[in-house]
Amino acid sequence: MTPIRNFCFVASLLFTIVNCAPLKVLDEQNWDEMLNGEWMVEFYAPWCPACRALEPVWVDFASWSDDLGIKVGHVDVTTSPGLSGRFMVTALPTIYHVKNGVFRQYRGTRDKDEFISFVEEKKWEQVEPIPGWKSPSSIQMSIVSGFFKLSMMLRNIHTQITEEHGIPYWGSYLLFALATIIVGAVLGLVLVFLIDCFYPAKVAVKRSDLNKASKQNEKDDDDEDILDENTQSEGKDEDDEFSQSEQDEAMADEGSQDDEEVNEKNKEETAEEGPSSSSPDVRKRRSRKAD
């Protein structure tokens, strides 16, 4: 009897959900509807026990949406993995309050009365909104959503390869590794192509032109070295000439000083000895004595 009761409960619950107009099913295509107006949105997964326990309460709460003037929706993260990345859903179930594109995460008690009071008494005003850089409608969170979609796609491919085709896990990992290398090489070629298009390289110079240019540079360097040597030798010759002239002048000055000293000595000796016998005055005196 227990399986029959469970089946009847699930069937009635599904019938209620399908025929319950206030509960809006949101997915990748229509999630942006919550950006307008006031919403209460649940993120759940069918395999989650807490989500299954909350489901009848959430359906009952959705029936009060018209009275509260809000919209109630839910998102299945298994069929919309991009939304779980966009809203950074790390635990299930996760409930968000949305007011004109401003997101706040609900962290209260999960029962109908608490949900109603949260909306009716505007308790959501006391909750800090999600920062702008983490807003689900931002560009960066759209990129994160794309990565989540890619990861789910790869997971489905892995499951299909291992279960349907019977390939072992190591074979699946090897295929993914090869695919990663190939995709990386292709992306690298595309990147190089784009760089060449926007920043073209300079035209390559011929090897002969390079050799000529190098020889010319070497010749110019040699000419400069020779010019420097000539300049240095000229400067050295001028310095030698200048030093030789200084030496000659110094020797001439010394010679003149020696001559002056010799003349002065001769004068002094002449003055001490008196007039010599060969002088004309002495001769005159002797001739007078003879007379």
Side-chain angles (χ1 to χ4, degrees):
M1 294 295 293
T2 302
I4 296 175
R5 288 180 182 178
N6 291 336
F7 177 76
C8 293
F9 174 75
V10 173
S12 62
L13 185 61
L14 292 174
F15 179 79
T16 303
I17 293 173
V18 172
N19 292 277
C20 185
L23 186 58
K24 180 73 173 177
V25 178
L26 299 172
D27 53 21
E28 299 280 358
Q29 282 70 36
N30 63 350
W31 75 271
D32 53 353
E33 292 181 9
M34 70 176 74
L35 298 177
N36 299 317
E38 188 174 1
W39 287 74
M40 288 288 286
V41 182
E42 176 203 9
F43 290 82
Y44 75 99
W47 48 263
C48 175
C51 299
R52 289 200 295 265
L54 178 62
E55 194 165 8
V57 178
W58 194 253
V59 172
D60 192 9
F61 170 64
S63 63
W64 287 77
S65 59
D66 292 336
D67 297 331
L68 297 172
I70 65 171
K71 296 179 182 179
V72 181
H74 62 173
V75 179
D76 185 356
V77 296
T78 59
T79 58
S80 301
L83 291 181
S84 64
R86 187 182 292 273
F87 285 83
M88 295 299 293
V89 176
T90 58
L92 295 174
T94 298
I95 300 172
Y96 276 95
H97 174 270
V98 188
K99 177 73 172 180
N100 295 327
V102 179
F103 299 85
R104 294 176 173 86
Q105 187 172 355
Y106 174 82
R107 300 182 184 275
T109 307
R110 297 170 186 167
D111 61 70
K112 184 186 71 173
D113 295 333
E114 190 66 26
F115 292 150
I116 292 173
S117 64
F118 183 79
V119 176
E120 195 172 29
E121 297 176 9
K122 295 185 178 181
K123 293 181 180 179
W124 51 266
E125 293 180 349
Q126 303 174 5
V127 180
E128 185 178 358
I130 302 297
W133 65 274
K134 289 179 64 178
S135 177
S137 58
S138 61
I139 297 176
Q140 54 268 26
M141 297 312 295
S142 299
I143 297 173
V144 174
S145 174
F147 281 114
F148 269 73
K149 291 179 183 178
L150 179 62
S151 65
M152 185 58 65
M153 182 184 67
L154 295 176
R155 180 179 178 183
N156 293 334
I157 293 173
H158 172 71
T159 303
Q160 186 177 4
I161 290 174
T162 54
E163 293 182 0
E164 295 184 6
H165 299 281
I167 298 176
Y169 284 101
W170 63 267
S172 177
Y173 296 149
L174 181 60
L175 291 175
F176 276 108
L178 292 175
T180 302
I181 294 172
I182 294 172
V183 171
V186 172
L187 292 177
L189 290 175
V190 172
L191 182 61
V192 171
F193 175 76
L194 293 176
I195 293 174
D196 289 338
C197 289
F198 291 102
Y199 301 99
K202 295 181 179 180
V203 179
V205 183
K206 293 182 179 179
R207 183 173 295 180
S208 58
D209 296 337
L210 289 174
N211 293 332
K212 291 180 181 179
S214 62
K215 290 180 180 180
Q216 184 65 31
N217 292 331
E218 291 177 357
K219 184 177 180 181
D220 294 338
D221 294 337
D222 294 338
D223 293 339
E224 290 178 358
D225 295 337
I226 294 171
L227 181 61
D228 293 337
E229 291 178 356
N230 293 332
T231 305
Q232 293 177 358
S233 62
E234 290 177 359
K236 186 175 180 180
D237 295 338
E238 290 178 356
D239 293 337
D240 294 340
E241 292 177 356
F242 183 74
S243 61
Q244 185 66 32
S245 61
E246 287 182 347
Q247 290 178 0
D248 295 339
E249 291 179 357
M251 292 177 66
D253 293 337
E254 291 179 355
S256 61
Q257 290 178 358
D258 294 338
D259 294 338
E260 290 178 357
E261 291 178 355
V262 171
N263 293 330
E264 289 179 357
K265 287 181 179 180
N266 294 329
K267 289 179 180 180
E268 290 177 355
E269 291 177 354
T270 305
E272 291 177 355
E273 292 178 356
S276 59
S277 59
S278 60
S279 63
D281 294 335
V282 173
R283 290 176 182 175
K284 287 180 179 181
R285 286 175 185 176
R286 289 177 180 176
S287 59
R288 285 179 182 178
K289 281 182 178 182
D291 293 336

